[in-house]
Amino acid sequence: MKTKAHVLFSGGKDSSLSAILLEPFFDVHLVTCNFGILPTGPIAADIAREIGFPHQILKPDVSVLEEAAKTAQKDGFPNQAINDIHRHVLALLAKTDGVSVIADGLRRDDRVPHVPLPEIQSFESKNKVLYCSPLMGFGRATINKMIDSHLVITEEESAGMLKCDYEAELREYLSQDIGEEATHKLFPKSHKQSRVISRIRK
Amino acid sequence: MKTKAHVLFSGGKDSSLSAILLEPFFDVHLVTCNFGILPTGPIAADIAREIGFPHQILKPDVSVLEEAAKTAQKDGFPNQAINDIHRHVLALLAKTDGVSVIADGLRRDDRVPHVPLPEIQSFESKNKVLYCSPLMGFGRATINKMIDSHLVITEEESAGMLKCDYEAELREYLSQDIGEEATHKLFPKSHKQSRVISRIRK
């Protein structure tokens, strides 16, 4: 019987590809983090069903998002805030019953979230879990090639599509707190987001 | 039709697992580097056949090994020498006809060879190839779990088994040049090596 691997899942192409990469080796379960600010859970669940993996929602305390919002305002940009959320989510997932292998969709060229090697090693040994980032050895162009033959993707401006990631809820939380305009200034210019439509099966 | 990916292959478990990870996405070809010092080519070819991938041998100029041998002697340990060989091999493979995607078996916890991100990006753009290290996001324990269900491995003391990697030929070259005892001092204490016996197919 294969070991279970819990893959953090935003409904985007990177976390979907991570799940597909692990599929021959693990019993893959997708996990979407939701703070109760946006209805990202059911959207992610639909995409998970479409690509053929079991899915669950992880609900960290909203205080994690509140703290991150303060950090983003203090810094003037969201990088550290997103890093902080990611660490909290990893720690919470590691403490969840039945979790022994955790994966995320981080890529070689990602700036955030970023987990340095000594922190990874201490996280694994402290929590007695294994942690991996299946895309860490791949650049954007290689990942796109791999996605092309396995997933059907739609790409739209961020504003037009709800992504099921930390940033979406952090933005929404800040918008409600400090207004849309002030929030807009904290985040990089709107860029194209991707969402997975379906899986190409051979 | 899938894009070809050329995977540097030592006959060991890491490069074999890298090939298996890429198999759903690329037309995988294995490539073993041989300087003509040891008969590693045919051994690697046998293992490649066993796990089901086409295989070819890449023959860099022996001057690359001579230079690396000098570096290892100067340094008193082989790390930089092995790094230098790896870079030469990557560059040679990138210039080979029909090569557009290159992969190696480097792992998250590997100290050598190590290719820093800016060097990877410049290598890719200079040579118009894609380069990836499929195991870079995985630690040793996770990799072992993945190998367990896909490969049958034998592990023996280094001395008892010829590995088809840079180190084997570098050691042999140095042994012939400066003697076994002096060579032995340059390398870390003999550790267990692995070789792949066969592939477990579901």
Side-chain angles (χ1 to χ4, degrees):
Chain A
M1 217 182 65
K2 283 185 202 162
T3 305
K4 269 191 194 172
H6 288 82
V7 180
L8 288 169
F9 182 67
S10 72
K13 53 192 186 178
D14 292 338
S15 50
S16 299
L17 181 61
S18 295
I20 293 172
L21 260 167
L22 293 180
E23 193 177 33
F25 307 95
F26 295 99
D27 175 18
V28 172
H29 287 239
L30 303 181
V31 182
T32 301
C33 163
N34 177 270
F35 289 103
I37 306 294
L38 286 169
T40 53
I43 298 174
D46 281 350
I47 304 172
R49 196 176 312 114
E50 186 57 53
I51 63 174
F53 295 104
H55 180 260
Q56 67 197 68
I57 295 165
L58 186 73
K59 291 198 150 290
D61 197 275
V62 76
S63 64
V64 173
L65 195 65
E66 287 164 9
E67 281 305 312
K70 282 182 203 155
T71 301
Q73 285 182 76
K74 182 168 59 69
D75 293 349
F77 46 87
N79 296 18
Q80 187 57 47
I82 288 170
N83 263 326
D84 290 347
I85 297 173
H86 192 55
R87 274 161 182 72
H88 272 99
V89 169
L90 288 177
L92 180 62
L93 188 56
K95 286 183 191 79
T96 304
D97 261 2
V99 171
S100 64
V101 178
I102 295 175
D104 59 28
L106 303 195
R107 297 179 290 113
R108 182 183 84 185
D109 309 329
D110 273 333
R111 280 181 310 160
V112 288
H114 173 70
V115 190
L117 184 54
E119 191 182 330
I120 291 175
Q121 290 164 334
S122 122
F123 172 75
E124 287 188 325
S125 77
K126 203 174 100 183
N127 293 289
K128 296 190 177 49
V129 294
L130 299 176
Y131 164 72
C132 61
S133 304
L135 303 188
M136 193 49 80
F138 297 92
R140 181 77 271 166
T142 313
I143 290 172
N144 285 344
K145 248 184 211 300
M146 295 164 79
I147 288 169
D148 277 351
S149 57
H150 285 258
L151 293 166
V152 179
I153 303 292
T154 179
E155 305 218 341
E156 294 172 31
E157 293 297 319
S158 304
M161 183 167 54
L162 188 55
K163 230 192 145 189
C164 311
D165 62 2
Y166 312 139
E167 187 177 320
E169 285 196 296
L170 181 60
R171 270 182 193 251
E172 179 61 25
Y173 181 89
L174 279 162
S175 285
Q176 292 176 15
D177 190 26
I178 62 171
E180 253 184 65
E181 202 182 327
T183 301
H184 200 70
K185 284 185 190 145
L186 297 178
F187 287 84
K189 212 169 145 286
S190 164
H191 56 289
K192 292 223 173 174
Q193 297 273 17
S194 72
R195 191 194 286 168
V196 170
I197 303 294
S198 61
R199 182 162 173 190
I200 303 164
R201 294 186 182 269
K202 305 294 143 71
Chain B
M1 217 182 67
K2 284 185 203 162
T3 306
K4 269 190 194 173
H6 289 81
V7 180
L8 289 169
F9 182 67
S10 71
K13 53 192 187 179
D14 291 338
S15 51
S16 299
L17 180 62
S18 295
I20 293 173
L21 260 167
L22 293 180
E23 193 177 33
F25 306 95
F26 295 98
D27 176 17
V28 171
H29 287 239
L30 305 181
V31 182
T32 301
C33 163
N34 177 271
F35 289 102
I37 306 295
L38 285 168
T40 54
I43 297 174
D46 281 350
I47 304 172
R49 196 175 314 115
E50 187 57 54
I51 63 174
F53 295 104
H55 180 261
Q56 67 197 68
I57 296 165
L58 186 73
K59 292 199 149 288
D61 197 275
V62 75
S63 64
V64 173
L65 195 65
E66 287 164 9
E67 282 304 311
K70 281 182 205 154
T71 301
Q73 285 182 77
K74 181 166 61 69
D75 293 349
F77 46 87
N79 296 18
Q80 188 57 48
I82 288 170
N83 263 326
D84 291 347
I85 297 174
H86 192 56
R87 272 161 184 73
H88 271 97
V89 168
L90 287 177
L92 181 62
L93 188 55
K95 286 185 192 78
T96 304
D97 260 3
V99 171
S100 65
V101 178
I102 294 175
D104 59 27
L106 304 194
R107 299 179 290 111
R108 182 182 84 186
D109 310 328
D110 272 333
R111 281 182 310 160
V112 290
H114 173 70
V115 190
L117 184 53
E119 191 182 331
I120 291 175
Q121 290 164 334
S122 123
F123 172 74
E124 286 188 325
S125 76
K126 206 175 99 185
N127 293 288
K128 297 191 176 50
V129 294
L130 299 175
Y131 165 72
C132 61
S133 304
L135 303 189
M136 193 49 80
F138 298 91
R140 181 78 270 167
T142 314
I143 290 172
N144 285 344
K145 248 183 211 301
M146 296 163 78
I147 287 169
D148 277 352
S149 56
H150 284 259
L151 292 166
V152 179
I153 304 291
T154 178
E155 304 218 343
E156 294 173 31
E157 293 298 320
S158 304
M161 184 168 54
L162 188 55
K163 228 189 148 195
C164 311
D165 62 2
Y166 312 138
E167 188 176 320
E169 285 195 296
L170 181 60
R171 272 182 192 249
E172 179 61 24
Y173 180 88
L174 279 162
S175 285
Q176 291 175 15
D177 190 26
I178 61 171
E180 252 185 65
E181 201 181 330
T183 300
H184 200 70
K185 283 184 189 145
L186 296 178
F187 287 84
K189 210 167 146 287
S190 164
H191 56 290
K192 292 221 173 175
Q193 297 273 18
S194 71
R195 191 193 287 169
V196 170
I197 302 293
S198 61
R199 182 162 172 189
I200 304 164
R201 295 188 182 267
K202 305 295 146 68

